[in-house]
Amino acid sequence: MTDTKETIVVTGVGVVSPYGEGLASLQLGLLSGKCCLAPVRNLYPGFEGTTAQVGELPFLGQGASSRYSRTDRLALAAAQDAVADLDRASFAFRESGVVMASTVAGLSEIDPGIAQDPAAWYRHGGLARAASYPVSHVAASVGEHLGIHGPNCGVSVACASGAVAIALAANLLLDGAAPMILAGGSDALCPFTLSGFNSLQALDSGPCRPFDRNRQGLNLGEGAAVLVLETLAGATARRANILAVLCGWAMTNDASHPTAPHKEGTGLAECIGRAMEMAECDADEIGYVNAHGTGTLLNDVAEANAYRKAFSGRSCPIPVSSTKSYLGHCLGAAGALEAAIAITAIRCGALFPTLRLKDPIECPGIDWLRGEVRRQPLPLAMSVSAGFGGSNAALIFGSGRP
Amino acid sequence: MTANLPIVTGIGSVSPYGSLAGLIPPSLLEPSLEPSSTPWATRGTRRAFLVDPFRPASMVTGLKTRRLDRLSAWALVAASLAIQDAGIDLATVDRYRVAVIFATGFGCVELTESFYRSAAENGWSGTDPITFPETLTNAPAAHVALLHGLRGPNITVAGKSFAGESAMIQAASLIRHGQAELAIVLAGDTLTKPVYEWYEAANLLSPSCYNSDLLANATGFVRFVPSEGVAALVLEPAGSREAQSYAHLRSGRWAAGGQPAESIRQMLGGAVLNLIVCAGNGAPCAASPLASLARRIAGPDAAIVPPQAVAAGLADTGALLHLILALSGRPRSGQALLLATSGETGFAAIHLELP
């Protein structure tokens, strides 16, 4: 029998992506195979490349643009979308928690002038902008803007941040820390990160080709996604519409290199195994893996090796794709956006192919999804994230239907 | 909630008191530490609680930190000292079951500033690829994992006012749910000129930052003296091995608002407190509600330890250092509460049982 206090369910999903606002726009975009990556120039002087940008953000109230960074505003828009159907006067809503991930946070509002003469930079309008710098500001802004009082936490674990935020929120729910938790990630495009990845020669100047032998690197994107998580008992008590069940989650670290993943994907394979252990499912039951799939030389090989190991017991190859080929790499938001995509895949019974995947990495045991959207019932889907510093996270979502 | 409740078995710190394994010796606590002059050029004297420069390799043999942010270097030293203090032989531990949870307010600001400087000098097209990954907020936790081969959950958290408390509570949660059998919890920040000048521009600095005749007394100030450092604790399930115990972590809560006194009483479940350790961050908003909340929660026999200026100067990440100072400074036994507030009704509370 299901322990309703130990079962974590998703009762809301809010998304702001280059497709626009809302889960419906994300679903429509993915099903149509629309790629949001586009050539862009002069995001800083001299930059030419390919990114995926979010258009106009919804109006968030007077003064919001001066108090909140772009990362904050993306998070606020996604959070508002996630809670659109909730009774905001309810106890559960008021006491809910916020766990929001970001890597960029308020860096989007800061320019190099701060390093030359900080006091002058603050005097000339930088003081308020610098206030949004801490990673905690994103979660604090969401809590403040929605008027909710529960535990409030920022998370920054590089590109695994969004998934880690969801895992930590699930733990907090099991502890009874709050009746529900808004968990996700948000990151805006900004010169700091573009320049950083460019300096590492990690960017593909054209649209990225995850898992292709001829891949050249990643494209940066921006966006935010927020899941409303609560226990099945809580959701049932308030007759909430259950969108998905978070069946399992796990986090590990490679502990092998500051930036590169472990070549054999050992830590990631362990992470996937632990998530399946928690979900009490075997490798054959996972119908789809939404991969981290950045398109960099090192990541994609390590990830393929991890899948080969983790799914070695399957009776048929594991279907895998990277939706970064549609939306770019949204850094701290990526794990949350991809969790939303995994939920969308389950709800639509649709496995989204990797775009531009012509010549996949050779790896037995992996069914690289490419070409058309594959339609099939999908009881369980996994979203996998990894990041600089060796962090890995795996989330397993289920339809909740027997 | 009693299964797998963790105990604190190791302490390490890099702080204005020095780099130390275990508690801070009484000789360093008396007389009270005074702020020192900041090393960066200003238009007058500016003071803060600063960590004296030291070679990390002198504390942890073979440590290479030349390219790391000071925050990463200090995290490596503090974690190593805590592991040493706990007497853990990591060779005997399943490294996939060892978590690292790091709390920070500002992250690797030193190298972030350096990256901005390189952008100012060379343009965004001429930034340094070696510096960039070290600017990431999770770099310190990642380096701790890399140095010690720790392959469990590696998490960096930030929280307005309560980052340290949040890290402790979430580390305990990982242990309670069997996602880790050992957790290294760290909290800290470094002080740089832009951070200090932001405090100054925001009018948050205590008068004693400008005048050495004014004592940085935590109980009386309305603003704060910034501080820096990293504190580390080793948490492991009670009874997992023969080990010293500084404290038993019974439960914890934090919230951005609500009814702090009621929530904390509910958490304590009738436990009679002997000690309340106030871990305020020293900002004006923290001082008054913290004192009154502590008085409301305390029973007739509970001693209340006010916020300590050196730890309060760490703002969001002072909780661990507050706890270490409290354990170092007074006889320990009975039920204790680590308590902090933020704004009118935000609070963090951790219920500890002291041996």
Side-chain angles (χ1 to χ4, degrees), chain A residues 20-42:
Chain A
E21 198 183 352
L23 193 60
S25 69
L26 181 74
Q27 179 179 318
L28 193 65
L30 291 166
L31 286 172
S32 68
K34 181 185 170 189
C35 175
C36 298
L37 297 166
V40 65
R41 303 180 74 161
N42 291 330

Side-chain angles (χ1 to χ4, degrees), chain A residues 325-367:
Chain A
S325 58
Y326 302 68
L327 297 168
H329 190 343
C330 300
L331 301 177
L337 277 165
E338 287 155 16
I341 292 170
I343 292 167
T344 302
I346 290 169
R347 292 180 61 76
C348 300
L351 278 56
F352 307 112
T354 303
L355 301 179
R356 298 174 294 281
L357 178 55
K358 290 181 180 159
D359 187 7
I361 296 168
E362 195 174 319
C363 191
I366 299 181
D367 171 10

Side-chain angles (χ1 to χ4, degrees), chain A residues 217-245:
Chain A
L218 58 85
N219 307 131
L220 290 177
E222 63 178 357
V226 173
L227 308 187
V228 178
L229 299 174
E230 53 191 310
T231 62
L232 178 57
T236 306
R238 66 176 192 90
R239 296 182 187 160
N241 180 27
I242 293 166
L243 302 175
V245 178

Side-chain angles (χ1 to χ4, degrees), chain B residues 40-337:
Chain B
W40 47 81
T42 54
R43 282 184 292 274
T45 302
R46 299 288 186 274
R47 304 191 324 145
F49 293 111
L50 300 168
V51 173
D52 284 336
F54 69 102
R55 278 184 61 244
S58 68
M59 302 302 302
V60 182
T61 309
L63 203 53
K64 292 179 181 169
T65 56
R66 190 168 57 87
R67 289 176 172 168
L68 308 189
D69 193 282
R70 269 191 310 161
L71 191 63
S72 290
W74 293 353
L76 285 167
V77 173
S80 301
L81 293 172
I83 291 167
Q84 176 196 318
D85 184 50
I88 297 167
D89 177 5
L90 286 172
T92 64
V93 174
D94 176 359
R95 311 289 176 98
Y96 276 112
R97 293 288 184 188
V98 184
V100 180
I101 299 97
F102 178 65
T104 182
F106 298 107
C108 298
V109 279
E110 202 169 48
L111 289 185
T112 299
E113 290 157 23
S114 167
F115 196 78
Y116 273 123
R117 255 193 313 278
S118 74
E121 287 161 10
N122 312 316
W124 283 117
S125 302
T127 52
D128 177 15
I130 293 170
T131 303
F132 175 64
E134 297 300 337
T135 67
L136 297 183
T137 310
N138 69 319
H143 283 296
V144 170
L146 189 56
L147 177 69
H148 295 290
L150 309 179
R151 300 191 177 89
N154 192 281
I155 298 158
T156 297
V157 296
K160 191 180 169 193
S161 303
F162 309 132
E165 290 90 341
S166 160
M168 283 175 73
I169 291 169
Q170 299 200 58
S173 179
L174 290 172
I175 290 173
R176 193 157 47 241
H177 298 304
Q179 294 166 28
E181 288 170 3
L182 190 76
I184 317 294
V185 188
L186 303 116
D189 275 304
T190 53
L191 206 50
T192 62
K193 182 179 178 182
V195 171
Y196 194 92
E197 291 188 347
W198 184 84
Y199 286 137
E200 187 163 37
N203 199 25
L204 292 171
L205 295 183
S206 158
S208 57
C209 291
Y210 305 95
N211 185 343
S212 59
D213 293 335
L214 297 170
L215 293 176
N217 182 345
T219 54
F221 62 61
V222 291
R223 297 191 179 92
F224 81 137
V225 181
S227 180
E228 61 180 4
V230 173
L233 305 177
V234 174
L235 299 188
E236 49 189 310
S240 58
R241 66 185 178 100
E242 288 281 325
Q244 66 181 341
S245 170
Y246 289 106
H248 203 128
L249 206 157
R250 299 205 66 83
S251 54
R253 281 189 191 175
W254 89 105
Q259 306 287 331
E262 288 72 10
S263 298
I264 293 167
R265 285 196 192 101
Q266 187 186 35
M267 177 188 81
L268 291 171
V272 178
L273 293 174
N274 304 96
L275 178 69
I276 294 185
V277 178
C278 295
N281 67 17
C285 61
S288 166
L290 178 56
S292 67
L293 180 62
R295 281 193 294 272
R296 285 174 69 194
I297 300 290
D301 301 323
I304 298 176
V305 181
Q308 303 298 298
V310 180
L314 278 167
D316 296 347
T317 56
L320 272 61
L321 189 56
H322 267 116
L323 178 61
I324 295 169
L325 284 167
L327 294 175
S328 303
R330 59 180 48 239
R332 294 168 288 136
S333 69
Q335 309 286 323
L337 187 73

Side-chain angles (χ1 to χ4, degrees), chain A residues 296-319:
Chain A
T296 61
L297 293 177
L298 296 178
N299 173 81
D300 291 8
V301 167
E303 215 178 332
N305 286 333
Y307 298 140
R308 181 172 45 78
K309 275 193 188 69
F311 293 103
S312 62
R314 276 177 68 96
S315 54
C316 62
I318 177 77

